[in-house]
Amino acid sequence: RIEEQEEAIFREVVSFTPEPLPARYYDRDTTKPVSFYFSSLEELLAWTPDGEDSFNVALEPSECRQPPLSSQRPRTLLCHDMMGGYLDDKFIQGSAARSPYCFYHWQCIDIFVYFSHHTVTIPPVGWTNAAHRHGVCVLGTFITEWKDGAQLCEAFLAGDERSYRAVADQLVLIAQFFRFDGWLVNIENSLSPAAVGNVPHFLRYLSTQLHQRVPGGLVLWYDSVVSSGQLKWQDELNQHNRVFFDACDGFFTNYNWREEHLERMRGPAGGRRADVYVGVDVFARSNVVGGQFDTHRSLELIRKHGFSAALFAPGWVYECLEKKDFFQNQDKFWALLERHVPTHGICSLPFVTSFCLGMGTRRVRYGQEEAVGPWYHPSAQEIQPLFAEHRLEGDGRGWVKTSCCLADAWNGGSSLLIRGVIPPEAGPVAVRLFSLQVPAPPKIFLSLVYKLEGPSAVEVALELTTGDAGSCHVGGLWTLNAETSSRHSPRPLRVPPTKLARWVGRCGQQLRGGWVQRCYEVNLRGCLLGDLLVSFARPAGSREEASFVCRLGEIQVVDADSLLRPLPRVQAVTVSRVRWQRATSEEEEEEEEEGGAPAR
């Protein structure tokens, strides 16, 4: 019988004359594709999607996380404002930046706002991909300022509804096309009575349209203009600005508040306290409760009154402190906030991470070094764990700390470094890395790739907790003890299951670079996966103090059956901006070789 065969069809008008690259989409010096913004209302209204825009479309849909953004738990918003924006992060395919800013405490935040002083700030796609991989909502910024901003606002707000709807429709189209989640609207100039009267209508229309076309979309309003049209920051939600709050999804307050402002806001906020984001300037400019390494003082009061928090410019740790100490300072900053920033759980499988930060001093693939040199590519960042430092109970000699490390990697540019000391009287030490709120499939496959540094003899094990313990049946696990009956330590497999050998053929073996892989297969019924932990214990019979340095290169939690299904086929591949070069004939090659010219 005759079988149908698919053919790849290429259509291209071949031209050997170089075409100039559009300045908006490509960096002038390197010709690399870049993220962009709009500086005027005319640019915004004139934009229509075309092929050049595809570079900026986020590839990662927002992952599921628990609790969802729609819950009424107070949230944490991070507003990223750094040196005007669009720095090394604008390069869509990455750059060779040596010491770039990198954010990785995603489990601590709910919303990421990319802020700049351009009229329409479209978040660079690398940030959107990294945030969505962690289930974090991403907003761009629509801002007007000074005299030019007032004129811009008059142009689209002072007329009839067609003008402000046209602007709102474009903002919705941009968010929908580039696959981010909404807008922070910041009008920082006075408005005429006609213009300010249309602001609530503009916000309501923008919010309604966004909700229809962008699932989970958000529109937030910044505390600036009041209902009279004056530019008059209130530092609170009150009767002068509540009309804007009522027309959108949330309100971002100015930064110079005191506890009495928080007390007064409880009335106007009503049942929407979680939709009020109390601003905290991490730079501690002007008259603030606490910023810099005292930011936790502000958050303590905000949470006391049940509001959400908006951290403005936490990149202070990068801009103002020593670059060589950036990672230590960023970890210190977020550790001080630990009690006030609730973390989140991952609620879908497969779950796989190599802990790569999306940057490094070299590129490694499965323990094999592929390239040496600095690189920075936010879209390549993988899911990051909870970072913490804990003192063990007792005399305080025992401790454990997690941090990221560029010195070695299993896959990408970095690994997770876990260091600690186990005193003689202490038992195994467990480090919680992730919270998984996932209904478990009947069989899961787990894998851990790690490396112990130095002469340490500690034993490393992967542990997990399960919920619904009354009806949850766990097979192939050893329960640690009766008091923690929902916490389990799987037995490592000496060899992988026959059906999974294709994917995990090196379980229990030494890998390249001194890495070791441990594999586990667990049967479950009626369970909810909970925390994922790594534990460290002294060898059996040892009573001496044990210190350890361990690098984690990869963790996988996968539905075992999913590994047996065929991968989806790649479809609808498009190629643009192809540079064609004339082929060299055999005669020309021979002439070049005879004449000593280098072959092309």
Side-chain angles (χ1 to χ4, degrees), residues 38 40-48 156 163 166-168 170:
F38 297 128
S40 68
L41 196 62
E42 292 74 22
E43 284 185 322
L44 169 65
L45 294 174
W47 177 80
T48 56
F156 85 96
S163 297
V167 170
Q170 283 294 89

Side-chain angles (χ1 to χ4, degrees), residues 6 10 38 51 141 172 178 273 293 352 373 423 449 510 555 579:
E6 294 186 6
F10 299 91
F38 297 128
T141 306
V172 172
F178 293 117
R273 282 195 215 177
F293 286 128
V352 180
V449 176
Q510 192 88 2
I555 286 182
R579 181 184 177 187

Side-chain angles (χ1 to χ4, degrees), residues 149-347:
Q151 293 173 348
L152 186 152
C153 288
E154 288 301 305
F156 85 96
L157 284 172
D160 61 24
E161 68 177 18
R162 288 176 297 178
S163 297
Y164 68 73
R165 286 192 170 194
V167 170
D169 287 338
Q170 283 294 89
L171 293 176
V172 172
L173 177 61
I174 289 169
Q176 181 186 33
F177 181 83
F178 293 117
R179 298 182 185 171
F180 61 97
D181 306 294
W183 297 96
L184 170 66
V185 179
N186 186 0
I187 307 297
E188 296 218 49
N189 48 257
S190 298
L191 298 174
S192 68
V196 76
N198 273 331
V199 170
H201 302 301
F202 165 66
L203 291 174
R204 188 169 287 110
Y205 179 77
L206 173 62
S207 302
T208 300
Q209 294 301 308
L210 187 76
H211 296 163
Q212 291 177 1
R213 295 166 66 178
V214 178
L218 286 178
V219 175
L220 306 183
W221 172 262
Y222 180 69
D223 167 21
S224 50
V225 171
V226 294
S227 56
S228 66
Q230 288 180 285
L231 177 60
K232 195 172 183 180
W233 297 273
Q234 300 294 291
D235 303 304
E236 64 177 319
L237 176 67
N238 59 28
Q239 71 273 19
H240 301 298
N241 51 34
R242 182 174 170 177
V243 64
F244 310 121
F245 175 60
D246 292 340
C248 65
D249 299 304
F251 184 88
F252 184 147
T253 79
N254 195 45
Y255 312 105
N256 299 315
W257 48 268
R258 287 289 180 267
E259 187 168 11
E260 52 265 31
H261 292 85
L262 305 181
E263 292 169 347
R264 287 197 298 264
M265 280 199 297
R266 295 166 73 168
R272 294 182 62 195
R273 282 195 215 177
D275 295 333
V276 177
Y277 299 83
V278 181
V280 179
D281 182 3
V282 176
F283 275 72
R285 291 162 287 206
S286 193
N287 186 23
V288 301
V289 172
Q292 302 182 8
F293 286 128
D294 288 326
T295 297
H296 60 94
R297 293 174 53 200
S298 293
L299 261 71
E300 184 175 2
L301 287 179
I302 293 168
R303 301 307 196 205
K304 173 183 173 182
H305 293 277
F307 294 109
S308 292
L311 301 177
F312 184 78
W316 165 80
V317 296
Y318 177 84
E319 290 192 57
C320 297
L321 305 179
E322 290 285 345
K323 298 290 190 295
K324 64 181 179 64
D325 299 324
F326 166 63
F327 291 107
Q328 296 94 312
N329 286 327
Q330 178 152 261
D331 289 346
K332 175 183 176 181
F333 176 84
W334 288 95
L336 289 167
L337 305 184
E338 184 178 13
R339 292 192 300 116
H340 311 296
V341 284
T343 57
H344 300 80
I346 296 161
C347 58

